[in-house]
Amino acid sequence: MNQVMMQFFEWYYPNDGSLWNKVGTEVETFKELGIDTIWLPPAFKGVSGSSSEGYDVYDIYDLGEFDQKGTIRTKYGTREEYIAAIENLQKHKIRVLVDVVLNHMGGGDEKEKIMARKVDPENRNVFIEEPVEIEADTKFLFPGRNKKYSDFVWDYHCFTGIDHDTESGERGIYKIINEYGDTWEEVVGEEKGNFDYLMFSDIESRNPAVLDELKRWGKWYFETVRFDGVRLDALKHISPHFYNEWLSYMKTQVKPDLIVIGEFWTSGTVDVLEKYIEATGAAIQLFDAPLHYNFHTASIEGSNYDMRHIFGNSLVSRQPDLAITFVENHDTQPFQSLESPVDAWFKPLAYSLILLRQEGHPCVFYCDLYGTCYTHVNHEGEEKQAVMPKITALEKLLYARQKYAYGPQHDYFDDAHCVGWTREGANGQSGCVVLLSNAGEAVKTMHVGMQYAGKRFIDLLRDDAQAVYIDEAGNGEFGVGAESAAVWIANE
């Protein structure tokens, strides 16, 4: 069967500790829709406590167990509820990916006087001031946990950079000066000169003690939670050498069949993703961010967009086996720093493109399956509302992936506004015909195979579409409505 992953969270999920329990109530839905892998959000305690989405990491050993940062539970629930949710999913043969955030830590427990040097934020390889002593909250003791699970103390030797002087209040990007040099770690890509530093206290993986501690934590985390795989956050800001060693340890000493996917975010050329793949020996499947931006652009431009180029500059067109295809995620939602939403009218087209083709590994977003409405207060104190409606066609498209998206694929990307493809079916599984239009109604003659001669095809997405009969040569004249998708299947 065709596999499907789902991102089971969104940035603005309510801060009520209910997500872990909600997972358990949705198991039957996942099974019905053919979703066999669930990606869960970061489970550890963050700087902002019970309102933390998990990416502002404080204590990676606190999964909602200790009274730290003003709360025991995380935004999503308690440690016990988290473990129970994963066990329930796996009992129903649904794999679980946990979100691993090892780029930075915040909310240190004590301040330290350290030597640091400010860099140009647009080119972090350029120093703009001489070394100076600053104060930084870079010492982590985790008093609420009181050395349970680990007695490792993080201090400035464990970090490469910080974003402010806590004593003076002066902000900027400071390179911490320690025994690991006055340069950043080596990363893939030339954005910002060197984009090692992202936020908070940036972890220094060249420190052998840090690497050993993160290996110990990885083993502890697996033994505690028994996950099936990991989703690695912020790869753009982490040396590939670190993950080469960490993943080697995890696969040889902890879980040989560990599933590994990662986020290397880029809105530019796909070449940088291929450089990262080369640097890590193709050990990590990557989210196809360039394809997401194609969807975003196509949804905004409407009929001005040339659909023949929808897969241009995408990872799935270059290395389909390593591409995690997606329409949106928590970072692209309205009001987020990477805000780049895909308009609702285009989402059935986008999901058809990732769910019903041979190439890529599709990931469905929480908001598109359930819908959401939330408010956000901007820097001016204004309250803004965003509505992300449930995509009603999505369940039918997931059904089509389970039942009909099989066999050889024949492309018809021969028109700027109407593109499509056919799947012949294979091994007893039926095929389908997919047609997409970003303009007006359209009709296209397409070949489905002589095995369908005389068969009647219906549009799975439209009850009122007139049936199509396949001729002796295996061809049919298929239609699609304006600005919509059509999925034609054989109606026995």
Side-chain angles (χ1 to χ4, degrees):
M1 297 293 288
N2 288 322
Q3 295 182 340
V4 184
M5 176 168 60
M6 179 181 179
Q7 177 181 348
F8 194 79
F9 67 99
E10 53 107 350
W11 193 265
Y12 296 93
Y13 187 85
N15 172 21
D16 58 7
S18 69
L19 187 72
W20 302 148
N21 289 331
K22 181 177 173 62
V23 173
T25 67
E26 297 299 307
V27 168
E28 291 305 319
T29 298
F30 301 150
K31 298 296 286 186
E32 290 172 7
L33 297 177
I35 295 169
D36 56 22
T37 305
I38 295 294
W39 158 27
L40 295 175
F44 18 80
K45 194 67 58 69
V47 176
S48 48
S50 63
S51 63
S52 167
E53 289 78 20
Y55 294 99
D56 58 340
V57 184
Y58 168 64
D59 185 359
I60 54 179
Y61 285 97
D62 185 355
L63 304 178
E65 179 180 4
F66 304 101
D67 189 356
Q68 299 190 110
K69 299 302 176 186
T71 181
I72 293 176
R73 73 163 174 87
T74 67
K75 177 178 181 177
Y76 309 114
T78 65
R79 169 189 157 117
E80 291 76 15
E81 291 166 341
Y82 179 52
I83 294 173
I86 291 174
E87 290 176 345
N88 188 30
L89 288 167
Q90 292 172 332
K91 182 176 70 176
H92 290 85
K93 302 194 181 326
I94 297 173
R95 301 179 301 179
V96 177
L97 304 188
V98 298
D99 210 319
V100 171
V101 187
L102 299 181
N103 176 71
H104 51 266
M105 294 169 59
D109 303 300
E110 290 184 3
K111 302 182 190 307
E112 298 181 291
K113 293 285 189 178
I114 65 173
M115 293 301 293
R117 198 174 181 189
K118 190 178 283 190
V119 302
D120 181 346
E122 296 306 313
N123 185 351
R124 279 81 180 280
N125 293 321
V126 176
F127 294 107
I128 57 176
E129 291 182 2
E130 292 302 310
V132 63
E133 183 181 73
I134 66 170
E135 185 180 75
D137 51 358
T138 46
K139 196 159 190 178
F140 292 77
L141 302 171
F142 315 111
R145 177 158 55 80
N146 194 26
K147 300 182 179 180
K148 188 175 181 180
Y149 306 130
S150 173
D151 60 1
F152 187 79
V153 174
W154 294 75
D155 61 18
Y156 78 94
H157 299 282
C158 303
F159 302 108
T160 64
I162 197 76
D163 63 359
H164 68 287
D165 178 351
T166 59
E167 186 172 51
S168 68
E170 184 173 352
R171 304 198 68 82
I173 299 176
Y174 293 88
K175 173 67 186 72
I176 294 173
I177 299 174
N178 55 30
E179 62 268 48
Y180 304 102
D182 59 0
T183 60
W184 302 102
E185 293 194 58
E186 180 185 344
V187 296
V188 172
E190 299 177 354
E191 190 176 355
K192 306 290 187 184
N194 179 302
F195 218 163
D196 178 16
Y197 186 81
L198 175 62
M199 64 176 70
F200 296 117
S201 298
D202 187 84
I203 290 177
E204 171 64 89
S205 67
R206 291 172 295 194
N207 182 334
V210 167
L211 182 56
D212 288 345
E213 170 64 2
L214 294 178
K215 288 178 180 178
R216 283 193 298 269
W217 170 79
K219 185 172 187 290
W220 168 86
Y221 195 15
F222 175 75
E223 291 175 346
T224 302
V225 173
R226 298 288 172 181
F227 47 79
D228 298 286
V230 293
R231 179 267 184 188
L232 306 176
D233 184 63
L235 293 177
K236 178 165 66 175
H237 310 283
I238 302 173
S239 169
H241 304 300
F242 165 72
Y243 269 126
N244 286 342
E245 186 160 349
W246 189 81
L247 288 173
S248 175
Y249 170 79
M250 292 294 290
K251 289 185 175 182
T252 57
Q253 304 297 317
V254 180
K255 185 174 173 56
D257 59 347
L258 185 73
I259 303 166
V260 185
I261 67 173
E263 177 225 26
F264 189 112
W265 195 265
T266 177
S267 59
T269 174
V270 73
D271 292 351
V272 70
L273 297 184
E274 296 198 292
K275 287 180 182 177
Y276 189 85
I277 287 169
E278 182 180 2
T280 52
I284 306 173
Q285 293 178 314
L286 298 179
F287 285 94
D288 196 346
L291 179 63
H292 156 75
Y293 280 105
N294 287 354
F295 293 158
H296 167 65
T297 302
S299 76
I300 293 173
E301 294 185 359
S303 60
N304 290 322
Y305 187 87
D306 189 334
M307 289 290 289
R308 292 173 295 186
H309 306 311
I310 194 68
F311 288 113
N313 187 45
S314 67
L315 185 62
V316 74
S317 69
R318 301 269 194 96
Q319 302 205 38
D321 290 343
L322 294 176
I324 304 294
T325 53
F326 68 103
V327 177
E328 284 210 60
N329 69 15
H330 59 293
D331 285 322
T332 69
Q333 291 182 243
F335 311 128
Q336 285 300 291
S337 60
L338 299 175
E339 178 179 354
S340 49
V342 177
D343 286 353
W345 76 270
F346 192 80
K347 284 187 176 180
L349 286 73
Y351 272 112
S352 297
L353 287 160
I354 71 170
L355 290 173
L356 303 181
R357 293 179 61 78
Q358 289 177 321
E359 302 86 2
H361 304 274
C363 181
V364 173
F365 186 37
Y366 181 97
C367 295
D368 293 331
L369 189 61
Y370 297 104
T372 188
C373 176
Y374 55 87
T375 57
H376 171 81
V377 179
N378 63 22
H379 294 299
E380 290 73 39
E382 302 170 318
E383 189 174 273
K384 302 288 186 178
Q385 185 181 68
V387 177
M388 298 183 69
K390 172 181 178 177
I391 305 305
T392 56
L394 181 53
E395 292 187 16
K396 289 184 177 180
L397 291 172
L398 285 164
Y399 172 78
R401 178 172 176 80
Q402 285 187 77
K403 300 293 185 181
Y404 305 106
Y406 297 96
Q409 179 173 289
H410 306 286
D411 285 342
Y412 291 81
F413 282 69
D414 52 1
D415 184 89
H417 303 304
C418 180
V419 299
W421 61 94
T422 65
R423 303 290 299 274
E424 290 188 15
N427 302 320
Q429 300 282 0
S430 297
C432 61
V433 176
V434 183
L435 206 54
L436 312 175
S437 171
N438 70 345
E441 295 182 1
V443 175
K444 194 181 293 286
T445 300
M446 304 169 78
H447 182 76
V448 294
M450 293 184 65
Q451 69 272 29
Y452 293 104
K455 297 287 188 182
R456 178 176 181 265
F457 272 60
I458 61 171
D459 186 350
L460 187 64
L461 302 185
R462 281 182 58 189
D463 294 332
D464 60 346
Q466 188 173 355
V468 172
Y469 289 87
I470 308 304
D471 66 22
E472 293 180 357
N475 299 316
E477 195 170 82
F478 299 95
V480 61
E483 297 185 339
S484 65
V487 180
W488 294 89
I489 60 171
N491 182 231
E492 300 296 338

